[in-house]
Amino acid sequence: MQQWVAEIAYDTTSGPRKVTESFYLPTAEDVRNIVAKNGGHVLSIRAHERSPLERLLARSTWWQVQLLRGIQFRSTASSPGVALWRIIQAETNPMRQNILAPAQEALARGMGIIDALKALRIFDHGTLAILAASEKANKLQEGIPHAIHSITQKRKNTRAIMGTMAWLGFDVITIVQSLFWGKGMVLNWFRGNAPTEPEELEHYLRIVGNLELTWNVLIVIATGCGLFMTWTIFSFWINKGKTDWPTARIVRKIPLIGAYLRDLGFADSMMAAARMLRGLVPIGDTLKQSSEATTVPEVSEYWTESNKELERGVLLGAALDRKPLSRSERLELASLSDLAQVATVLESVAEMRSAAAKTKHALIVWIAFGLTGVFLALAFGSAIYALTVMNMSLDSMMGGLMSGAI
């Protein structure tokens, strides 16, 4: 599904009238068909693209929380879909109207509130999974506080990581700038004041060459890491709401970070599955919805394969007993004999995965501190080493002056 903006001409009694309308449909051809049925003529069609300011506002967790709270407050007297429709109709800010336009189109065409929220492309899959699970159990109003808690918790984790990386990045950038701008001056001074003795000169030039190589390697590593981190942050921000893209696949291949994302994916999807089961949602629909509750392909494939096994007649416990779950988790699921126990076990697994994700989060931060410490130690160590080289040059110069004086 895509939001389209079309310029349309309508024949009226006073002559042709040109209007601009927004549509939320799969293809441009569908837009032409709808316009033709309404008696209009398409002049132009373009895919709607949000401006940078609109994207920044749409990615704001504060605005996401305010939108969900508005739905929760208004759904006490009406259905959640009607509540969202009233929020959209009451919005007067043009920028927010553009952001909410896909949801308005989805609701106008008879889609449910979850489809409308997905159309906005502002919520992550974990939040949508919580909302979808609550909606299927007819308890969306009760699920919204859990979704808000998930958003705020992820915001805290993101701020902690970003704050740590910003502080470490400032230290590294300061050192790299010192190396980059001072390297040429220092090395030129070393080469211009080299010892005159052949044996000392050879040893001296070898040390200066090693020092230059060390500084070049440090600068290249820091620059490469900085560019990669900047691109990764920008890519995740610009592609928020998508299921998979090249940068995400690269990040998932990093051992500890990949495991951290996998734990978060299992925590979100299993908690959503437990919520649906407690709401008496059919097990097949639960497994299918859980597979859509995460952007991690490995986790999504787990739910899809489990659903296929269940459709073949395999018992639920055996269907859920598969990799990439840990051995203890698989033993707990394999022993299931009562469907009423499934939600409790899934909640237990979700809590364990959430705790594991917090541990990995802390470990990632400490490893970042450690690697930055190693980098700074090499930078400072090479600078101290440069002072010893300078002493060699000064000693040689003083020796030459003393011999000249004698």
Side-chain angles (χ1 to χ4, degrees), residues 276-401:
M276 283 186 280
L277 290 176
R278 291 197 182 280
L280 303 180
V281 177
I283 187 64
D285 293 340
T286 297
L287 296 181
K288 182 179 179 181
Q289 185 68 41
S290 298
S291 68
E292 300 174 359
T294 176
T295 58
V296 182
E298 194 175 1
V299 179
S300 180
E301 185 179 356
Y302 166 82
W303 293 107
T304 302
E305 292 299 321
S306 298
N307 192 31
K308 289 180 180 178
E309 289 294 312
L310 192 65
E311 290 175 349
R312 294 192 187 102
V314 178
L315 294 176
L316 179 59
L320 296 174
D321 177 17
R322 61 179 59 254
K323 292 182 178 180
L325 294 182
S326 64
R327 188 172 181 274
S328 60
E329 293 168 344
R330 294 178 64 180
L331 287 174
E332 195 169 358
L333 289 168
S335 62
L336 287 173
S337 58
D338 186 1
L339 188 61
Q341 301 174 348
V342 179
T344 303
V345 173
L346 291 181
E347 286 177 348
S348 175
V349 174
E351 290 175 1
M352 289 189 293
R353 287 283 178 166
S354 181
K358 289 181 180 178
T359 302
K360 290 183 176 66
H361 173 269
L363 188 58
I364 290 171
V365 172
W366 283 111
I367 288 177
F369 269 113
L371 292 177
T372 306
V374 171
F375 180 87
L376 296 179
L378 291 173
F380 282 119
S382 61
I384 294 172
Y385 187 65
L387 293 177
T388 64
V389 178
M390 186 178 294
N391 288 335
M392 291 175 57
S393 176
L394 291 175
D395 290 343
S396 175
M397 292 173 59
M398 292 299 295
L401 291 174

Side-chain angles (χ1 to χ4, degrees), residues 102-311:
Q104 183 179 20
E105 289 292 323
L107 292 172
R109 302 198 180 280
M111 297 182 181
I113 184 171
I114 300 302
D115 292 323
L117 293 176
K118 287 180 179 179
L120 293 176
R121 288 167 51 192
I122 63 176
F123 297 103
D124 60 46
H125 279 67
T127 303
L128 288 173
I130 295 173
L131 296 172
S134 303
E135 194 269 340
K136 280 186 172 293
N138 294 320
K139 296 179 180 179
L140 181 60
Q141 191 176 5
E142 297 177 12
I144 287 177
H146 295 281
I148 292 174
H149 175 74
S150 174
I151 292 173
T152 54
Q153 188 62 42
K154 289 177 181 178
R155 178 173 59 188
K156 290 179 182 178
N157 292 341
T158 302
R159 284 180 176 177
I161 291 179
M162 295 302 296
T164 302
M165 294 305 173
W167 178 257
L168 298 178
F170 174 77
D171 289 342
V172 172
I173 289 173
T174 303
I175 298 299
V176 169
Q177 282 186 333
S178 300
L179 292 175
F180 184 80
W181 297 109
K183 181 186 69 172
M185 180 181 65
V186 173
L187 293 176
N188 288 335
W189 189 91
F190 285 162
R191 292 191 177 99
N193 297 276
T196 56
E197 296 293 331
E199 293 182 0
E200 291 184 3
L201 178 61
E202 181 181 357
H203 179 60
Y204 179 85
L205 293 178
R206 185 169 64 252
I207 292 175
V208 172
N210 291 336
L211 185 61
E212 182 179 14
L213 178 62
T214 301
W215 285 350
N216 287 336
V217 169
L218 291 176
I219 292 172
V220 169
I221 291 175
T223 304
C225 291
L227 291 175
F228 176 75
M229 288 176 59
T230 303
W231 168 251
T232 301
I233 293 170
F234 175 77
S235 180
F236 270 81
W237 179 79
I238 204 71
N239 291 293
K240 187 175 183 180
K242 293 185 179 180
T243 55
D244 197 20
W245 66 96
T247 307
R249 290 194 288 270
I250 294 173
V251 171
R252 284 196 300 268
K253 290 180 180 179
I254 302 174
L256 187 59
I257 296 179
Y260 168 71
L261 295 175
R262 186 167 58 249
D263 286 341
L264 286 180
F266 269 118
D268 289 338
S269 60
M270 288 205 167
M271 187 59 71
R275 186 175 297 280
M276 283 186 280
L277 290 176
R278 291 197 182 280
L280 303 180
V281 177
I283 187 64
D285 293 340
T286 297
L287 296 181
K288 182 179 179 181
Q289 185 68 41
S290 298
S291 68
E292 300 174 359
T294 176
T295 58
V296 182
E298 194 175 1
V299 179
S300 180
E301 185 179 356
Y302 166 82
W303 293 107
T304 302
E305 292 299 321
S306 298
N307 192 31
K308 289 180 180 178
E309 289 294 312
L310 192 65
E311 290 175 349

